[in-house]
Amino acid sequence: MKLSIIGTGYVGLVTGACFAEVGHQVICVDSDAQKVALLQQGGIPIYEPGLEDLIPRNVQAGRLRFTTRTADGVEGSDVIFIAVPTPPLPDGSVDLSFIEKVAREIASAMTTYKIVVDKSTVPVKTGEKVAETIKRYGRNQVEFDVVSNPEFLREGFAVEDLMKPDRVVIGVRSPRPVAAMREVYAPFEAPMIVTDINSAELIKHASNSFLAMKISYINALSVICEATGANVQEVANGMGMDARIGRRFLEASLGFGGSCFPKDLSAFIKIAEEIGYDFRLLKEVQRINEEQMSRFVKKIKDTLWVLKDKRIGVLGLAFKQNTDDVRMSPAIELCRRLQAEGALLRVHDPQAMEKARAVLRDVTYVADMNEVAEGCDALVIATEWEAFKKLDLLRARNALSHPILFDGRNLFDVAEMERLGFIYKSIGR
Ligand code: UGA
């Protein structure tokens, strides 16, 4: 099929590449000329495992190309996916100006029937607004359908999530676009649920909020575990064996972050408020998340006492493993809090150091994770990178002035760390 994707951020780029990989003809559009030039020259603007193979392979095969002109995408495709950012506004609501602008651009470029699919995360009822806008700005009364098709991609695992989706959600106003949407997704062999547009839009916010709630739930339990001597991972294992609960997203941590959960929670709370419902449950999810960071900082202060002029090594800057994304990263927030107390930081991340440099200053960036501990008073794990499990612990222990390790991601075994002589403080264990 002929498809276009407007917006080449994490979602748009991965979606475009995967659609091309299964045989569709894909045009990726972005208004950022520099980014498009980079992509046209074979460069990849983000770190997302798998893209480095997918993009060149599909460009070479003639199934994937990049342009700055929305009109090119619209003319050359039957189905147009909108994947532009929907950033938060200061009051927690969603800035829909990019969506509105793209809807106008699509409208003015349409000359034949098109299916316009919203993939960006949007408040319920946005599809209705997009349809109104296209109708208002469209020329010649060209027919079109608006579809909601939320994405469920995790950064760092986005290619895998798109190629093998748990489900595909399609929200429509009429049956007309359903066959084409089935054809788009047929190669992925995933269960598809077809709903009205408002339900599809809600499924996205409801899913992300539920996952965030799961994390805050286990983080709240971690407090109880610490107070009672229980082990939060054992509790999660026991709970997770109940198929109704499931083990995933029950990793206690120093809190969740990223460009999705924090923003989507605020947006969902705001959407509920606008329709007259006080979503206190989700406000508590946010509160627990903020508290989890403060508790972790307190744990460090309780052990090291005064942080001023203490040297602390921090492993991890990305908001989670397998990504270079530092937006709303708990690891960056932790660094800032430690800096505010006067600590001097040596930091490392396998992928995110370049992006971190723009937001985190006055720290020493260390290229090798095994050199971070040199001359430090303590070491902190802030991101759940698999690579950190292979840290040379004996070398770290000898490099630290005192063998103290704070683990905000529960990467190591408590008994083993104690056997190695560490003062080891993790979450809920
Ligand atoms: C999340 C959802 O998982 C995706 O399904 C969704 O499509 C995406 O948002 C989106 O809306 O675009 P993402 O933000 O990439 O994906 O990352 P997650 O893997 O969900 O992790 C979010 C945060 O929660 C990270 O900071 C992670 O470290 C933390 N986390 C995750 C925990 O602290 N504990 C867990 O058990 C799981």
Side-chain angles (χ1 to χ4, degrees):
M1 291 189 83
K2 289 183 182 164
L3 313 176
S4 62
I5 321 279
I6 320 283
T8 57
Y10 283 91
V11 172
L13 199 53
V14 172
T15 305
C18 291
F19 281 172
E21 176 71 5
V22 298
H24 298 308
Q25 286 291 329
V26 181
I27 306 171
C28 282
V29 182
D30 202 290
S31 55
D32 181 340
Q34 245 181 325
K35 199 195 259 188
V36 169
L38 177 74
L39 285 160
Q40 283 170 336
Q41 287 153 21
I44 300 173
I46 53 169
Y47 172 75
E48 184 63 45
L51 277 190
E52 68 287 359
D53 294 332
L54 281 182
I55 292 183
R57 182 163 64 236
N58 285 286
V59 168
Q60 233 162 33
R63 287 189 298 262
L64 180 63
R65 66 183 179 87
F66 301 95
T67 173
T68 52
R69 293 188 58 244
T70 302
D72 266 1
V74 174
E75 279 156 27
S77 62
D78 305 313
V79 187
I80 304 150
F81 290 81
I82 303 177
V84 294
T86 48
L89 288 166
D91 70 349
S93 64
V94 181
D95 178 356
L96 293 168
S97 57
F98 297 111
I99 298 262
E100 195 264 354
K101 178 169 165 279
V102 168
R104 277 190 282 122
E105 286 173 4
I106 294 171
S108 62
M110 275 177 4
T111 51
T112 54
Y113 171 78
K114 302 285 174 190
I115 300 174
V116 181
V117 186
D118 175 50
K119 215 169 221 322
S120 303
T121 300
V122 293
V124 59
K125 288 174 145 341
T126 300
E128 291 175 7
K129 291 281 178 209
V130 169
E132 261 171 46
T133 305
I134 296 178
K135 199 159 179 210
R136 191 170 302 142
Y137 290 89
R139 291 179 299 185
N140 313 325
Q141 299 303 308
V142 178
E143 287 188 23
F144 67 94
D145 269 297
V146 167
V147 172
S148 165
N149 171 218
E151 54 82 18
F152 303 103
L153 312 177
R154 291 164 304 157
E155 281 181 30
F157 302 90
V159 170
E160 187 187 319
D161 286 349
L162 206 143
M163 296 305 274
K164 291 186 220 122
D166 287 343
R167 81 301 209 183
V168 173
V169 175
I170 303 291
V172 292
R173 289 196 302 177
S174 78
R176 185 170 177 187
V178 174
M181 293 306 294
R182 285 198 191 280
E183 206 179 324
V184 170
Y185 280 103
F188 301 98
E189 294 175 358
M192 181 179 278
I193 167 169
V194 179
T195 69
D196 61 278
I197 294 187
N198 290 345
S199 300
E201 288 168 341
L202 271 177
I203 286 170
K204 171 67 190 197
H205 269 132
S207 299
N208 270 9
S209 300
F210 191 88
L211 291 169
M213 183 180 73
K214 240 181 137 176
I215 301 169
S216 275
Y217 187 83
I218 202 69
N219 279 340
L221 274 183
S222 76
V223 182
I224 312 274
C225 288
E226 282 178 21
T228 54
N231 181 324
V232 76
Q233 282 176 319
E234 306 271 357
V235 176
N237 290 343
M239 286 169 62
M241 285 170 81
D242 184 329
R244 293 170 303 174
I245 297 174
R247 178 63 178 84
R248 294 173 75 190
F249 278 68
L250 285 178
E251 298 307 335
S253 66
L254 74 173
F256 58 77
S259 66
C260 302
F261 285 175
K263 169 182 85 116
D264 290 352
L265 270 176
S266 302
F268 207 22
I269 289 168
K270 195 79 194 160
I271 292 162
E273 189 185 304
E274 277 160 18
I275 55 173
Y277 179 66
D278 183 6
F279 217 145
R280 287 193 299 267
L281 178 65
L282 296 187
K283 289 180 181 168
E284 193 56 23
V285 169
Q286 283 181 322
R287 200 187 62 77
I288 292 169
N289 199 48
E290 282 156 22
E291 221 174 68
Q292 197 68 358
M293 172 64 70
S294 302
R295 289 183 66 254
F296 192 64
V297 173
K298 183 169 181 302
K299 204 173 271 182
I300 297 174
K301 278 171 72 177
D302 285 350
T303 309
L304 299 181
W305 193 20
V306 175
L307 295 189
K308 189 166 182 327
D309 297 333
K310 292 264 161 64
R311 290 183 185 278
I312 300 178
V314 179
L315 287 169
L317 297 166
F319 82 98
K320 58 180 258 188
Q321 66 165 328
N322 271 358
T323 181
D324 62 352
D325 196 347
V326 295
R327 290 175 291 173
M328 299 289 286
S329 168
I332 300 278
E333 171 66 15
L334 176 69
C335 288
R336 291 205 180 111
R337 299 237 195 154
L338 297 176
Q339 280 185 317
E341 298 278 341
L344 308 167
L345 306 183
R346 287 170 60 78
V347 303
H348 168 83
D349 190 282
Q351 289 296 337
M353 294 217 274
E354 203 182 308
K355 291 205 167 139
R357 274 178 219 275
V359 292
L360 185 65
R361 294 192 185 84
D362 303 323
V363 301
T364 305
Y365 286 92
V366 183
D368 179 346
M369 70 172 176
N370 284 311
E371 285 174 10
V372 172
E374 302 294 331
C376 284
D377 296 286
L379 200 56
V380 179
I381 308 275
T383 307
E384 68 273 38
W385 281 97
E386 272 297 307
F388 294 161
K389 291 186 182 165
K390 300 206 176 76
L391 186 72
D392 186 338
L393 289 167
L394 287 178
R395 182 170 163 189
R397 189 192 66 189
N398 295 335
L400 289 165
S401 67
H402 302 284
I404 306 174
L405 198 149
F406 301 96
D407 185 351
R409 299 291 189 166
N410 289 349
L411 294 191
F412 300 111
D413 182 69
V414 180
E416 175 66 4
M417 291 302 280
E418 278 162 12
R419 196 187 61 77
L420 289 171
F422 277 94
I423 296 170
Y424 177 64
K425 310 232 168 179
S426 54
I427 310 274
R429 304 188 298 172

